[in-house]
Amino acid sequence: MLVGGAIVLLVVLTAVFAGTLSPHDPEAQSLVARLLPPGSPSYPLGTDALGRDLLSQILFGSRISLDIAVRAVVLSMLIGTALGLASGYYGGVIDSILMRLADAQLAIPYLVLAIAIVATFGAGVVHLLIVMVLGGWVYYARVIRSSTLAMRSMEFVQAATAVGASDARTVVRHILPNLLSSVIVISTLQLGQMILIAATLSFLGLGLPANVPSWGGMAADGEDYLATAWWIATLPGMAIFITTIGSNYLGDGIREALDPKLRI
């Protein structure tokens, strides 16, 4: 967990202080300095085909990638948790409808859904968030639903109902606090997944606009130069890989810390 937490903290600090750490303007172009390899003077990670500094682009790309991933995780968490609580607590028709929606969502291939939304509404941050949230809320809903189903028959929930507590109070004051550990673990694990999804969609041209520095867009720009300038695509790919691995390590560590059964 310490390794994962250190990686995620480093990415967060990089995103926050990108403007201070960047040696150049990430969008500044110089045809004289194009395709410089890593280790070049003034360009420690080299430049791309337009002479833009890769280090500056990666630093600012961390801000964009992390911002979108965090927003997608928060929205997925709020929607999925609310629907999972409603489905597990009330059951019956509500449970059937919500779970069939979840099944339908899982049955749709992610890229097909992304292509359909982008083709209909166009690329952009809002549409990228919609695609990511549509694919993310299901995991919260299913886990929260199963936990709520088991918890609603427990004595403390029945006691709250017996003394006249409303459904909203019972769910918010008695059930939800016992599910926060599951929500935190899912959110931590999903952070890396959302970064990877955003990068994948941007690589395919289905995510952020071309003028926005993002890790996926940088990797797409370097696709045509893999044989002659490998660093353009490889270095942003390494940033995606390290951030995703760090998020997964952090999520696994939190899960082991919060679950007594996994403690050694």
Side-chain angles (χ1 to χ4, degrees):
M1 182 171 70
L2 293 178
V3 175
I7 293 174
V8 172
L9 178 61
L10 178 62
V11 174
V12 171
L13 293 176
T14 299
V16 172
F17 297 104
T20 303
L21 298 174
S22 298
H24 301 279
D25 182 348
E27 293 303 311
Q29 302 179 13
S30 174
L31 296 181
V32 178
R34 65 189 301 268
L35 299 180
L36 292 178
S40 300
S42 301
Y43 299 99
L45 296 185
T47 60
D48 63 7
L50 298 177
R52 295 175 295 188
D53 179 43
L54 277 183
L55 176 59
S56 300
Q57 285 202 310
I58 291 175
L59 291 174
F60 275 91
S62 66
R63 176 179 293 180
I64 300 296
S65 300
L66 193 63
D67 176 59
I68 292 177
V70 169
R71 283 195 281 175
V73 168
V74 171
L75 290 174
S76 299
M77 176 189 66
L78 294 176
I79 295 173
T81 300
L83 295 180
L85 285 170
S87 179
Y89 186 78
Y90 291 106
V93 177
I94 295 177
D95 181 35
S96 298
I97 293 175
L98 292 178
M99 288 303 101
R100 295 301 75 77
L101 286 175
D103 292 339
Q105 175 61 49
L106 292 174
I108 301 175
Y110 205 82
L111 285 180
V112 174
L113 176 64
I115 292 171
I117 292 178
V118 173
T120 304
F121 302 103
V125 175
V126 175
H127 302 149
L128 177 60
L129 280 174
I130 291 174
V131 172
M132 295 168 71
V133 171
L134 285 176
W137 71 271
V138 179
Y139 302 102
Y140 293 93
R142 284 187 169 277
V143 172
I144 297 303
R145 170 189 176 269
S146 62
S147 299
T148 304
L149 281 173
M151 202 171 295
R152 69 178 184 180
S153 60
M154 293 183 176
E155 289 80 2
F156 68 93
V157 175
Q158 294 179 350
T161 304
V163 298
S166 63
D167 291 342
R169 181 179 178 84
T170 301
V171 170
V172 174
R173 293 292 301 274
H174 300 283
I175 295 179
L176 182 59
N178 292 282
L179 302 177
L180 289 181
S181 60
S182 298
V183 173
I184 292 172
V185 171
I186 297 173
S187 300
T188 308
L189 292 171
Q190 200 175 60
L191 179 63
Q193 181 184 7
M194 289 298 185
I195 291 176
L196 186 60
I197 290 172
T200 301
L201 295 178
S202 296
F203 180 83
L204 297 174
L206 303 176
L208 297 172
N211 61 340
V212 177
S214 65
W215 289 342
M218 294 172 64
D221 292 339
E223 183 182 8
D224 296 333
Y225 299 92
L226 286 175
T228 57
W230 54 268
W231 55 89
I232 301 177
T234 303
L235 295 180
M238 289 298 297
I240 297 170
F241 172 76
I242 292 173
T243 304
T244 303
I245 290 296
S247 175
N248 289 338
Y249 278 157
L250 179 60
D252 287 339
I254 293 176
R255 179 169 59 87
E256 292 177 1
L258 295 178
D259 191 346
K261 298 178 182 178
L262 299 177
R263 298 175 185 171
I264 298 177

